[in-house]
Amino acid sequence: MPHKYSLHVCNQRASGVLKGLECIAPLVRSVEETLEPIPTAVQGTIPSWIRGNLLRNGPGKFEFGNTHYNHWFDGMALLHQFKIQEGEVTYRSRFLQSDSYRKNSEKDRIMVSEFGTLALPDPCQNFFQRFLSRFEMIKPTDNASVSFVKYKGDYYVSTETNLMHKVDPETLASIEKVDWSKFVAVNGATAHPHCDPDGTVYNMGNSYGSKGALYNIVRVPPEKKDSTDSLQGATVLCSIMPANKSHPSYYHSFAMSENYVVFIEQPIKMDLLKIVTCKLRGKGLSEGIYWDPKQDTVFHLVDKKTGQASSVRYHTKAISTFHQINAFEEDGFLMLDMCCSEDGQAINNYLIQNLRKSGDALDQVYNEMTRVFPRRFVLPLGVTSDTQSNQNLNTRPDSLATCLKTGQDKVLCQHEDLHGDDLLDYGGLEFPQINYGQNNTRPYRYFYGCGFRHLVGDSLLKMDLKDKSLKVWQQQGFYPSEPVFVPSPDAVDEDQGVILSVVLTPSQDKGTFLLVLDAQTFEELGRANVPVNIPYGFHGTFNPTA
C-alpha cells in the first residue's frame, strides 16, 4: 500500500515547495561490480511465467584516483542483470569495458572527457605538450551509460555519441565496439530508438559539416546478413535543417507513429562554437548547452515510407522534452504524447554535487527545478492551402487540445494535460513506459512512470487515459527506477502483466530490491532483495528467454 505521509508534508507538497528532503548521496556513489550471479532473497511471490533478464544501465563509478566527475551523466557505465526464472532472481553487474574505462583505470585518473567533465592534460607531459593539447578536438566517449537498445536481434548499450557496445545479455560482457559513423554519415545517435513490428529500427543523429549541422533520421533494416553484422544497411531516411545551423537543438529522443517519425526541435540549444572550443576554454561540453525560452518548440513530421518531411511545421510555445510516451494516428490526426517541462535547464541541474547535497541546500535545488508533466498535442495531418485559418482544427470529441493554422505552412498547437490535479501531489511524471510491443504507434490506454518529489523518482505511477486516474506505489525512503512493463503470456488486456522496477534506499546499507507489481492492480506481488549496493540508474529493458 502507498505510504501515507503526514498532513504537514502534504500541505508543503500542495504548495509546490518541499522541505526536509532526504539526502540521496548514497545513490550516486561508486560501487564494486558483481561479476558472478548472486542469489537474492525473495519476499512474496514472483510469477513463474516471468522468464528472462531485466537489463539496466547507468553510472556506477564517479572518480578515478583524485579526479572526480562533475555531472551525473559522466560516471562510468555499470551494466546490471536481474535474471528471473521459476520465481527466483539472481543479480550480477559489470562495468562496461569501454576505451574510456580502460584508459582511466590504467592511469587511475580521468583521461577521457565526458559530458560535464573535461579531462585535464596529462601532468607527465611537458608544458609545451600540455599547451598544444588544449587545441585538440575532444574525442567522443564510448562510455555508453544511458540505455540498452536492440538492433537486428542483438543488444547494445548506448549513450549519445557515435559509439555503442554490443553486449552479451547473459554475461554482460562487451563483444564489440560499434561506430555509427562507419555505416552512415552521423556524428552520434540517441539512446532511444524506435522499432516497427517487422524489426526495422529508426533513430536520429546529427551530422556536422562545412555548411553547419543537420538533424538526420536513420533507418536500420531488420535483417542480419551474417553473425558479424551490426549496423550494415543503415541509411539516412531524411535530413532536416536546423532553424539556426550553428545553434542546433539538443534532443534526447524522438517520437514515432505508424507512418511518421516526429522530430521535436526544442529551445535547448547547442552553441557549436563553444562546444568545439571547450577544451581550449577549459570547460566541459555541457557548458555549450543553453535554454532559449524566446523560441518556439517545433514538431517536424517525416513520412517513413518516402523520407519526405512535411512542409507543414507544427509550433507550440517553448517547452522541453526528454522522453515521449507514445504517438499514434487516428481520424486524420497524429496524437503526440510526451513528458514536458516549461524549462530546459534540467540537464544542467544534475551535477553530482547537487545530487549529494543535504538539508536546505538540497531543498533549494529541488524547489528551483520545473516539474515535468504528461501532455498530448493533436497534429492535423491534412493541412493544405485550402485549410481554414485561425480556427481550431481539432474535431476530436472530448479533446481539449487546439491546433490553428496561422500561416501557409504553420500550425500553432496548444496541448491538453494527460493527468488530473492529483499528479501535482507526486511531483509530475518522468521515465514513461507503455506496453511497447502491443501499443507502440497505436492507440493505447495506460502508461507508467516515476513520480518526482525528489531529484530522482520516489514513486511508481500508472495513468489511465480513459479517466486520467492514477494508481500509485510508494513507500517513504524508497526510490524506484524506471518501470518496465512485461506482458503476461496469455494477456488479453493491455495492462495484463507486471511492472519491474529496481528500488533503492539511501538510508539502509544493501537495501536494494527488484520490485514486481501487478500492472493491473498496481499491488506488490513480490520483491527480490539484493545483498549489494546499487547506484540509481537510467534506462533498461526486459530480455525474455525461453
Side-chain angles (χ1 to χ4, degrees):
M1 291 294 292
H3 182 90
K4 301 300 182 184
Y5 287 83
S6 68
L7 179 63
H8 175 61
V9 175
C10 285
N11 286 338
Q12 289 173 340
R13 194 183 315 139
S15 69
V17 175
L18 282 180
K19 292 184 179 179
L21 289 175
E22 180 179 15
C23 177
I24 57 168
L27 307 189
V28 283
R29 298 285 187 202
S30 298
V31 299
E32 298 295 321
E33 59 189 355
T34 305
L35 293 175
E36 295 301 322
I38 57 174
T40 65
V42 173
Q43 291 176 253
T45 302
I46 295 177
S48 59
W49 59 260
I50 308 175
R51 295 182 61 86
N53 303 317
L54 176 64
L55 304 172
R56 295 269 304 151
N57 197 353
K61 185 173 177 61
F62 299 95
E63 67 283 313
F64 285 91
N66 295 321
T67 56
H68 300 259
Y69 289 115
N70 299 321
H71 201 284
W72 193 20
F73 298 172
D74 299 344
M76 293 291 97
L78 181 62
L79 315 183
H80 310 265
Q81 179 209 70
F82 295 83
K83 178 179 282 295
I84 309 171
Q85 282 183 312
E86 305 300 334
E88 300 295 328
V89 179
T90 60
Y91 170 78
R92 77 192 311 171
S93 65
R94 183 187 291 265
F95 280 109
L96 177 66
Q97 294 300 302
S98 60
D99 293 345
S100 299
Y101 181 83
R102 287 200 295 266
K103 288 176 183 175
N104 296 336
S105 298
E106 182 184 333
K107 298 287 187 179
D108 199 26
R109 61 186 297 273
I110 295 172
M111 298 292 295
V112 180
S113 295
E114 300 291 340
F115 174 73
T117 305
L118 182 70
L120 297 176
D122 189 339
C124 297
Q125 293 178 325
N126 62 39
F127 172 80
F128 187 61
Q129 288 171 318
R130 291 201 302 273
F131 174 75
L132 286 181
S133 72
R134 289 195 174 275
F135 294 89
E136 297 171 356
M137 283 284 289
I138 287 183
K139 294 182 174 65
T141 180
D142 66 336
N143 175 39
S145 64
V146 176
S147 189
F148 273 86
V149 296
K150 200 173 181 182
Y151 296 97
K152 302 184 182 182
D154 292 322
Y155 284 89
Y156 295 79
V157 285
S158 175
T159 179
E160 295 182 341
T161 69
N162 55 305
L163 302 171
M164 298 190 300
H165 282 265
K166 185 187 291 188
V167 295
D168 183 336
E170 289 300 322
T171 66
L172 301 181
S174 178
I175 299 169
E176 174 190 7
K177 183 174 74 172
V178 176
D179 184 345
W180 274 97
S181 65
K182 296 285 194 297
F183 301 94
V184 69
V186 294
N187 295 88
T190 82
H192 293 288
H194 277 294
C195 186
D196 269 342
D198 69 351
T200 301
V201 180
Y202 295 82
N203 207 337
M204 288 197 62
N206 284 2
S207 57
Y208 305 101
S210 58
K211 296 181 180 179
L214 290 173
Y215 311 120
N216 301 291
I217 297 168
V218 179
R219 180 163 55 197
V220 181
E223 313 86 29
K224 188 189 252 191
K225 292 191 170 68
D226 55 53
S227 60
T228 64
D229 193 344
S230 55
L231 298 176
Q232 280 84 348
T235 55
V236 172
L237 176 68
C238 178
S239 296
I240 299 169
M241 194 177 297
N244 183 333
K245 285 190 172 185
S246 62
H247 292 251
S249 288
Y250 168 82
Y251 53 94
H252 183 73
S253 58
F254 62 100
M256 188 175 85
S257 67
E258 182 181 1
N259 295 298
Y260 296 95
V261 169
V262 185
F263 169 57
I264 301 147
E265 189 173 22
Q266 59 187 350
I268 303 177
K269 298 296 180 180
M270 299 188 294
D271 185 327
L272 296 186
L273 181 59
K274 280 190 176 181
I275 287 173
V276 299
T277 60
C278 63
K279 200 168 183 182
L280 181 63
R281 296 181 298 109
K283 302 286 187 181
L285 288 167
S286 59
E287 296 279 334
I289 296 180
Y290 66 97
W291 169 246
D292 184 0
K294 298 186 297 295
Q295 297 192 36
D296 284 353
T297 295
V298 182
F299 307 125
H300 300 261
L301 269 57
V302 175
D303 189 303
K304 287 158 65 176
K305 294 184 180 67
T306 66
Q308 291 295 310
S310 170
S311 61
V312 178
R313 300 285 188 267
Y314 301 85
H315 289 243
T316 192
K317 65 180 181 180
I319 57 167
S320 71
T321 180
F322 283 84
H323 302 111
Q324 287 72 55
I325 305 166
N326 199 7
F328 63 94
E329 300 155 43
E330 198 172 62
D331 302 327
F333 297 92
L334 189 151
M335 269 55 69
L336 176 59
D337 297 351
M338 56 191 196
C339 293
C340 303
S341 168
E342 301 290 331
D343 190 355
Q345 308 279 18
I347 197 169
N348 292 319
N349 290 331
Y350 280 95
L351 301 173
I352 291 173
Q353 65 182 28
N354 285 344
L355 290 162
R356 291 178 178 171
K357 284 180 176 176
S358 60
D360 291 345
L362 175 60
D363 295 345
Q364 182 178 351
V365 171
Y366 175 82
N367 290 317
E368 288 178 352
M369 291 175 66
T370 307
R371 306 291 159 255
V372 178
F373 290 98
R375 295 174 174 176
R376 171 170 292 177
F377 292 87
V378 177
L379 313 183
L381 294 173
V383 176
T384 68
S385 57
D386 297 328
T387 301
Q388 187 74 34
S389 296
N390 296 313
Q391 70 175 32
N392 186 14
L393 302 176
N394 181 15
T395 55
R396 290 176 62 82
D398 304 320
S399 174
L400 300 176
T402 62
C403 40
L404 288 80
K405 181 183 175 187
T406 59
Q408 182 176 342
D409 287 317
K410 181 177 179 180
V411 174
L412 188 61
C413 300
Q414 172 65 36
H415 71 270
E416 65 175 302
D417 292 331
L418 292 183
H419 63 89
D421 289 345
D422 52 352
L423 185 56
L424 302 176
D425 293 340
Y426 297 99
L429 183 148
E430 251 289 8
F431 290 147
Q433 290 287 315
I434 62 171
N435 182 342
Y436 192 92
Q438 177 183 307
N439 293 95
N440 182 49
T441 76
R442 301 182 181 97
Y444 70 115
R445 178 173 171 179
Y446 303 103
F447 65 91
Y448 313 87
C450 287
F452 273 77
R453 282 179 300 105
H454 210 301
L455 296 179
V456 298
D458 76 328
S459 61
L460 291 168
L461 308 175
K462 175 187 180 181
M463 181 68 72
D464 184 343
L465 289 174
K466 187 175 182 180
D467 57 6
K468 298 181 181 177
S469 61
L470 269 183
K471 282 188 168 69
V472 182
W473 181 93
Q474 176 184 68
Q475 291 184 359
Q476 189 166 23
F478 290 91
Y479 298 87
S481 66
E482 171 189 66
V484 173
F485 178 84
V486 181
S488 57
D490 55 352
V492 176
D493 297 327
E494 178 186 333
D495 60 345
Q496 258 183 289
V498 296
I499 290 293
L500 303 179
S501 176
V502 180
V503 182
L504 312 178
T505 173
S507 61
Q508 184 181 333
D509 187 48
K510 300 172 184 173
T512 302
F513 57 90
L514 174 66
L515 175 69
V516 184
L517 297 180
D518 182 307
Q520 290 188 309
T521 65
F522 235 51
E523 292 178 356
E524 179 172 334
L525 297 174
R527 61 177 69 179
N529 297 288
V530 183
V532 296
N533 288 317
I534 299 175
Y536 198 91
F538 297 140
H539 299 287
T541 190
F542 185 73
N543 158 229
T545 55

